[in-house]
mmCIF file with all atom_site columns, all heavy atoms in Angstrom:
data_model
loop_
_atom_site.group_PDB
_atom_site.id
_atom_site.type_symbol
_atom_site.label_atom_id
_atom_site.label_alt_id
_atom_site.label_comp_id
_atom_site.label_asym_id
_atom_site.label_entity_id
_atom_site.label_seq_id
_atom_site.pdbx_PDB_ins_code
_atom_site.Cartn_x
_atom_site.Cartn_y
_atom_site.Cartn_z
_atom_site.occupancy
_atom_site.B_iso_or_equiv
_atom_site.pdbx_formal_charge
_atom_site.auth_seq_id
_atom_site.auth_comp_id
_atom_site.auth_asym_id
_atom_site.auth_atom_id
_atom_site.pdbx_PDB_model_num
ATOM 1   N N   . VAL L 1 254 ? 16.955 24.656 2.042   1.00 0.00 ? 254 VAL L N   1
ATOM 2   C CA  . VAL L 1 254 ? 17.917 25.693 1.673   1.00 0.00 ? 254 VAL L CA  1
ATOM 3   C C   . VAL L 1 254 ? 17.688 26.000 0.244   1.00 0.00 ? 254 VAL L C   1
ATOM 4   O O   . VAL L 1 254 ? 17.239 25.193 -0.597  1.00 0.00 ? 254 VAL L O   1
ATOM 5   C CB  . VAL L 1 254 ? 19.417 25.335 1.922   1.00 0.00 ? 254 VAL L CB  1
ATOM 6   C CG1 . VAL L 1 254 ? 19.654 25.056 3.423   1.00 0.00 ? 254 VAL L CG1 1
ATOM 7   C CG2 . VAL L 1 254 ? 19.763 24.025 1.173   1.00 0.00 ? 254 VAL L CG2 1
ATOM 8   N N   . ARG L 1 255 ? 18.119 27.175 -0.113  1.00 0.00 ? 255 ARG L N   1
ATOM 9   C CA  . ARG L 1 255 ? 18.105 27.673 -1.601  1.00 0.00 ? 255 ARG L CA  1
ATOM 10  C C   . ARG L 1 255 ? 19.422 28.229 -1.952  1.00 0.00 ? 255 ARG L C   1
ATOM 11  O O   . ARG L 1 255 ? 20.104 28.959 -1.084  1.00 0.00 ? 255 ARG L O   1
ATOM 12  C CB  . ARG L 1 255 ? 16.986 28.697 -1.772  1.00 0.00 ? 255 ARG L CB  1
ATOM 13  C CG  . ARG L 1 255 ? 16.936 29.282 -3.202  1.00 0.00 ? 255 ARG L CG  1
ATOM 14  C CD  . ARG L 1 255 ? 15.853 30.289 -3.389  1.00 0.00 ? 255 ARG L CD  1
ATOM 15  N NE  . ARG L 1 255 ? 15.889 30.894 -4.750  1.00 0.00 ? 255 ARG L NE  1
ATOM 16  C CZ  . ARG L 1 255 ? 15.082 31.788 -5.241  1.00 0.00 ? 255 ARG L CZ  1
ATOM 17  N NH1 . ARG L 1 255 ? 14.147 32.266 -4.429  1.00 0.00 ? 255 ARG L NH1 1
ATOM 18  N NH2 . ARG L 1 255 ? 15.224 32.222 -6.422  1.00 0.00 ? 255 ARG L NH2 1
ATOM 19  N N   . GLY L 1 256 ? 19.849 28.048 -3.143  1.00 0.00 ? 256 GLY L N   1
ATOM 20  C CA  . GLY L 1 256 ? 21.167 28.554 -3.624  1.00 0.00 ? 256 GLY L CA  1
ATOM 21  C C   . GLY L 1 256 ? 21.122 30.059 -3.753  1.00 0.00 ? 256 GLY L C   1
ATOM 22  O O   . GLY L 1 256 ? 19.992 30.684 -3.719  1.00 0.00 ? 256 GLY L O   1
ATOM 23  N N   . LYS L 1 257 ? 22.317 30.725 -3.821  1.00 0.00 ? 257 LYS L N   1
ATOM 24  C CA  . LYS L 1 257 ? 22.410 32.190 -3.882  1.00 0.00 ? 257 LYS L CA  1
ATOM 25  C C   . LYS L 1 257 ? 22.947 32.679 -5.163  1.00 0.00 ? 257 LYS L C   1
ATOM 26  O O   . LYS L 1 257 ? 22.896 33.901 -5.467  1.00 0.00 ? 257 LYS L O   1
ATOM 27  C CB  . LYS L 1 257 ? 23.270 32.651 -2.712  1.00 0.00 ? 257 LYS L CB  1
ATOM 28  C CG  . LYS L 1 257 ? 22.695 32.232 -1.322  1.00 0.00 ? 257 LYS L CG  1
ATOM 29  C CD  . LYS L 1 257 ? 23.658 32.734 -0.255  1.00 0.00 ? 257 LYS L CD  1
ATOM 30  C CE  . LYS L 1 257 ? 23.116 32.350 1.128   1.00 0.00 ? 257 LYS L CE  1
ATOM 31  N NZ  . LYS L 1 257 ? 23.078 30.861 1.310   1.00 0.00 ? 257 LYS L NZ  1
ATOM 32  N N   . LEU L 1 258 ? 23.612 31.845 -5.937  1.00 0.00 ? 258 LEU L N   1
ATOM 33  C CA  . LEU L 1 258 ? 24.207 32.249 -7.185  1.00 0.00 ? 258 LEU L CA  1
ATOM 34  C C   . LEU L 1 258 ? 23.260 32.320 -8.364  1.00 0.00 ? 258 LEU L C   1
ATOM 35  O O   . LEU L 1 258 ? 22.727 31.250 -8.769  1.00 0.00 ? 258 LEU L O   1
ATOM 36  C CB  . LEU L 1 258 ? 25.398 31.369 -7.544  1.00 0.00 ? 258 LEU L CB  1
ATOM 37  C CG  . LEU L 1 258 ? 26.204 31.755 -8.779  1.00 0.00 ? 258 LEU L CG  1
ATOM 38  C CD1 . LEU L 1 258 ? 26.863 33.021 -8.637  1.00 0.00 ? 258 LEU L CD1 1
ATOM 39  C CD2 . LEU L 1 258 ? 27.219 30.575 -9.124  1.00 0.00 ? 258 LEU L CD2 1
ATOM 40  N N   . ASN L 1 259 ? 23.036 33.461 -8.886  1.00 0.00 ? 259 ASN L N   1
ATOM 41  C CA  . ASN L 1 259 ? 22.151 33.551 -10.095 1.00 0.00 ? 259 ASN L CA  1
ATOM 42  C C   . ASN L 1 259 ? 22.847 32.930 -11.285 1.00 0.00 ? 259 ASN L C   1
ATOM 43  O O   . ASN L 1 259 ? 24.101 33.030 -11.458 1.00 0.00 ? 259 ASN L O   1
ATOM 44  C CB  . ASN L 1 259 ? 21.843 35.062 -10.407 1.00 0.00 ? 259 ASN L CB  1
ATOM 45  C CG  . ASN L 1 259 ? 20.953 35.643 -9.457  1.00 0.00 ? 259 ASN L CG  1
ATOM 46  O OD1 . ASN L 1 259 ? 20.217 35.030 -8.701  1.00 0.00 ? 259 ASN L OD1 1
ATOM 47  N ND2 . ASN L 1 259 ? 20.968 36.998 -9.295  1.00 0.00 ? 259 ASN L ND2 1
ATOM 48  N N   . ARG L 1 260 ? 22.057 32.381 -12.151 1.00 0.00 ? 260 ARG L N   1
ATOM 49  C CA  . ARG L 1 260 ? 22.659 31.558 -13.264 1.00 0.00 ? 260 ARG L CA  1
ATOM 50  C C   . ARG L 1 260 ? 23.391 32.503 -14.241 1.00 0.00 ? 260 ARG L C   1
ATOM 51  O O   . ARG L 1 260 ? 24.375 32.113 -14.866 1.00 0.00 ? 260 ARG L O   1
ATOM 52  C CB  . ARG L 1 260 ? 21.608 30.857 -14.026 1.00 0.00 ? 260 ARG L CB  1
ATOM 53  C CG  . ARG L 1 260 ? 20.938 29.704 -13.167 1.00 0.00 ? 260 ARG L CG  1
ATOM 54  C CD  . ARG L 1 260 ? 19.668 29.222 -13.764 1.00 0.00 ? 260 ARG L CD  1
ATOM 55  N NE  . ARG L 1 260 ? 19.874 28.552 -15.058 1.00 0.00 ? 260 ARG L NE  1
ATOM 56  C CZ  . ARG L 1 260 ? 18.901 28.395 -15.901 1.00 0.00 ? 260 ARG L CZ  1
ATOM 57  N NH1 . ARG L 1 260 ? 17.669 28.699 -15.684 1.00 0.00 ? 260 ARG L NH1 1
ATOM 58  N NH2 . ARG L 1 260 ? 19.147 27.748 -17.119 1.00 0.00 ? 260 ARG L NH2 1
ATOM 59  N N   . ASN L 1 261 ? 23.033 33.768 -14.319 1.00 0.00 ? 261 ASN L N   1
ATOM 60  C CA  . ASN L 1 261 ? 23.696 34.732 -15.236 1.00 0.00 ? 261 ASN L CA  1
ATOM 61  C C   . ASN L 1 261 ? 25.032 35.206 -14.604 1.00 0.00 ? 261 ASN L C   1
ATOM 62  O O   . ASN L 1 261 ? 25.735 35.958 -15.237 1.00 0.00 ? 261 ASN L O   1
ATOM 63  C CB  . ASN L 1 261 ? 22.815 35.887 -15.564 1.00 0.00 ? 261 ASN L CB  1
ATOM 64  C CG  . ASN L 1 261 ? 22.353 36.734 -14.356 1.00 0.00 ? 261 ASN L CG  1
ATOM 65  O OD1 . ASN L 1 261 ? 22.733 36.469 -13.287 1.00 0.00 ? 261 ASN L OD1 1
ATOM 66  N ND2 . ASN L 1 261 ? 21.642 37.821 -14.611 1.00 0.00 ? 261 ASN L ND2 1
ATOM 67  N N   . LYS L 1 262 ? 25.302 34.748 -13.366 1.00 0.00 ? 262 LYS L N   1
ATOM 68  C CA  . LYS L 1 262 ? 26.569 35.094 -12.743 1.00 0.00 ? 262 LYS L CA  1
ATOM 69  C C   . LYS L 1 262 ? 27.603 33.953 -12.709 1.00 0.00 ? 262 LYS L C   1
ATOM 70  O O   . LYS L 1 262 ? 28.660 34.068 -12.094 1.00 0.00 ? 262 LYS L O   1
ATOM 71  C CB  . LYS L 1 262 ? 26.305 35.606 -11.265 1.00 0.00 ? 262 LYS L CB  1
ATOM 72  C CG  . LYS L 1 262 ? 25.400 36.728 -11.152 1.00 0.00 ? 262 LYS L CG  1
ATOM 73  C CD  . LYS L 1 262 ? 25.957 38.010 -11.812 1.00 0.00 ? 262 LYS L CD  1
ATOM 74  C CE  . LYS L 1 262 ? 25.087 39.242 -11.544 1.00 0.00 ? 262 LYS L CE  1
ATOM 75  N NZ  . LYS L 1 262 ? 25.566 40.449 -12.213 1.00 0.00 ? 262 LYS L NZ  1
ATOM 76  N N   . ILE L 1 263 ? 27.255 32.891 -13.368 1.00 0.00 ? 263 ILE L N   1
ATOM 77  C CA  . ILE L 1 263 ? 28.110 31.708 -13.432 1.00 0.00 ? 263 ILE L CA  1
ATOM 78  C C   . ILE L 1 263 ? 29.422 32.014 -14.182 1.00 0.00 ? 263 ILE L C   1
ATOM 79  O O   . ILE L 1 263 ? 29.365 32.559 -15.234 1.00 0.00 ? 263 ILE L O   1
ATOM 80  C CB  . ILE L 1 263 ? 27.379 30.528 -14.123 1.00 0.00 ? 263 ILE L CB  1
ATOM 81  C CG1 . ILE L 1 263 ? 26.227 30.007 -13.181 1.00 0.00 ? 263 ILE L CG1 1
ATOM 82  C CG2 . ILE L 1 263 ? 28.372 29.342 -14.334 1.00 0.00 ? 263 ILE L CG2 1
ATOM 83  C CD1 . ILE L 1 263 ? 25.393 28.956 -13.778 1.00 0.00 ? 263 ILE L CD1 1
ATOM 84  N N   . VAL L 1 264 ? 30.508 31.617 -13.562 1.00 0.00 ? 264 VAL L N   1
ATOM 85  C CA  . VAL L 1 264 ? 31.815 31.682 -14.222 1.00 0.00 ? 264 VAL L CA  1
ATOM 86  C C   . VAL L 1 264 ? 32.380 30.207 -14.259 1.00 0.00 ? 264 VAL L C   1
ATOM 87  O O   . VAL L 1 264 ? 32.398 29.541 -13.159 1.00 0.00 ? 264 VAL L O   1
ATOM 88  C CB  . VAL L 1 264 ? 32.785 32.506 -13.373 1.00 0.00 ? 264 VAL L CB  1
ATOM 89  C CG1 . VAL L 1 264 ? 34.144 32.537 -14.109 1.00 0.00 ? 264 VAL L CG1 1
ATOM 90  C CG2 . VAL L 1 264 ? 32.331 33.999 -13.322 1.00 0.00 ? 264 VAL L CG2 1
ATOM 91  N N   . SER L 1 265 ? 32.702 29.756 -15.369 1.00 0.00 ? 265 SER L N   1
ATOM 92  C CA  . SER L 1 265 ? 33.161 28.322 -15.542 1.00 0.00 ? 265 SER L CA  1
ATOM 93  C C   . SER L 1 265 ? 34.396 28.028 -14.653 1.00 0.00 ? 265 SER L C   1
ATOM 94  O O   . SER L 1 265 ? 35.266 28.866 -14.492 1.00 0.00 ? 265 SER L O   1
ATOM 95  C CB  . SER L 1 265 ? 33.455 28.070 -16.942 1.00 0.00 ? 265 SER L CB  1
ATOM 96  O OG  . SER L 1 265 ? 32.301 28.191 -17.797 1.00 0.00 ? 265 SER L OG  1
ATOM 97  N N   . GLY L 1 266 ? 34.329 26.757 -14.124 1.00 0.00 ? 266 GLY L N   1
ATOM 98  C CA  . GLY L 1 266 ? 35.469 26.357 -13.335 1.00 0.00 ? 266 GLY L CA  1
ATOM 99  C C   . GLY L 1 266 ? 35.369 24.829 -13.154 1.00 0.00 ? 266 GLY L C   1
ATOM 100 O O   . GLY L 1 266 ? 34.922 24.116 -13.991 1.00 0.00 ? 266 GLY L O   1
#
Side-chain angles (χ1 to χ4, degrees):
V254 294
R255 178 180 175 180
K257 301 178 180 63
L258 179 65
N259 290 339
R260 294 166 64 198
N261 61 358
K262 301 296 183 182
I263 291 174
V264 178
S265 295

